[in-house]
Amino acid sequence: MKVIQAAVTLLSLINPVVCALMLSQIGAGQSSAARAASATRASIAVLVILITFALIGARLLKVFGISLDVFQVAGGLVLAWMGFSMVRASTGPASQAAPVAGTQSQSLTPLILFAASPGTITGIITLSVNHSGTALPVTAIAGAAIAVLALWLVLLLTSRLSGQGTGNSFLHNLMAGMMGLIVIAMGFQFGLTGIKAFFAGG
């Protein structure tokens, strides 16, 4: 039961729906096989990041004397900054906002950084601290595996359904702007939750 709860928690932080929208924009103009390969690479990268922080995240914060609340505030600021960058890019010149589809400029980094955001990392560290009765955070790792499996299935479905045309640049910019606003809101939410928890604990 704890594993399912951990998976649901991480899945809500990863937000596969927004990730799917990001993959659709990144993979515009690519073949279905190329988009499916991108979905797999992104999912593997997210899983590696989450498992790594499940194993060493709590110890790392302890070494530097950083509390989870403060880490969440800092992570929220980083997430909000990412959102502002996405919004700014969506309102820039078309040549900058929508790179030529199918080229190497369509990096998976924004998708990976969103799925394995500071908020998600905070969540996996919290799970590894609170839900582990052994030296190995089994609950956090199993929850991450289930959540990333669900992410991969959603991304894979998106890669199959997405059209191969480049689409309207206005729609791409609008999508990027909407995703940016969502990321900004999530960043502020994580930050404010961390501030509230910090002062409540103090």
Side-chain angles (χ1 to χ4, degrees):
M1 188 64 179
K2 287 184 177 180
V3 172
I4 300 300
Q5 292 175 344
V8 171
T9 298
L10 292 174
L11 203 55
S12 65
L13 294 172
I14 291 173
N15 201 332
V17 175
V18 176
C19 291
L21 292 174
M22 296 178 76
L23 180 64
S24 296
Q25 185 180 27
I26 292 171
Q30 296 179 347
S31 67
S32 178
R35 293 194 301 270
S38 295
T40 301
R41 288 198 305 272
S43 299
I44 291 174
V46 172
L47 181 61
V48 169
I49 293 172
L50 294 186
I51 290 180
T52 299
F53 276 96
L55 294 173
I56 69 170
R59 295 184 181 90
L60 194 62
L61 293 183
K62 188 175 181 180
V63 167
F64 290 100
I66 303 173
S67 70
L68 279 173
D69 298 334
V70 173
F71 183 79
Q72 188 168 353
V73 173
L77 291 175
V78 173
L79 201 58
W81 175 79
M82 288 172 53
F84 280 118
S85 298
M86 293 170 66
V87 172
R88 186 169 60 250
S90 71
T91 58
S95 59
Q96 296 179 6
V100 178
T103 64
Q104 293 299 320
S105 62
Q106 297 288 72
S107 172
L108 290 171
T109 301
L111 192 160
I112 295 171
L113 290 180
F114 177 81
S117 69
T120 310
I121 292 173
T122 301
I124 193 73
I125 294 176
T126 302
L127 290 171
S128 67
V129 171
N130 296 334
H131 289 193
S132 180
T134 63
L136 188 66
V138 178
T139 301
I141 293 175
I146 295 174
V148 174
L149 175 61
L151 170 67
W152 178 67
L153 292 175
V154 172
L155 293 181
L156 200 62
L157 179 62
T158 301
S159 70
R160 300 296 183 187
L161 297 179
S162 297
Q164 296 188 13
T166 56
N168 190 299
S169 61
F170 172 76
L171 293 179
H172 281 279
N173 293 344
L174 180 63
M175 183 182 297
M178 289 292 294
M179 289 187 295
L181 289 176
I182 293 174
V183 174
I184 291 172
M186 290 181 65
F188 278 113
Q189 181 177 347
F190 286 132
L192 292 175
T193 300
I195 292 174
K196 181 179 179 180
F198 177 79
F199 284 106

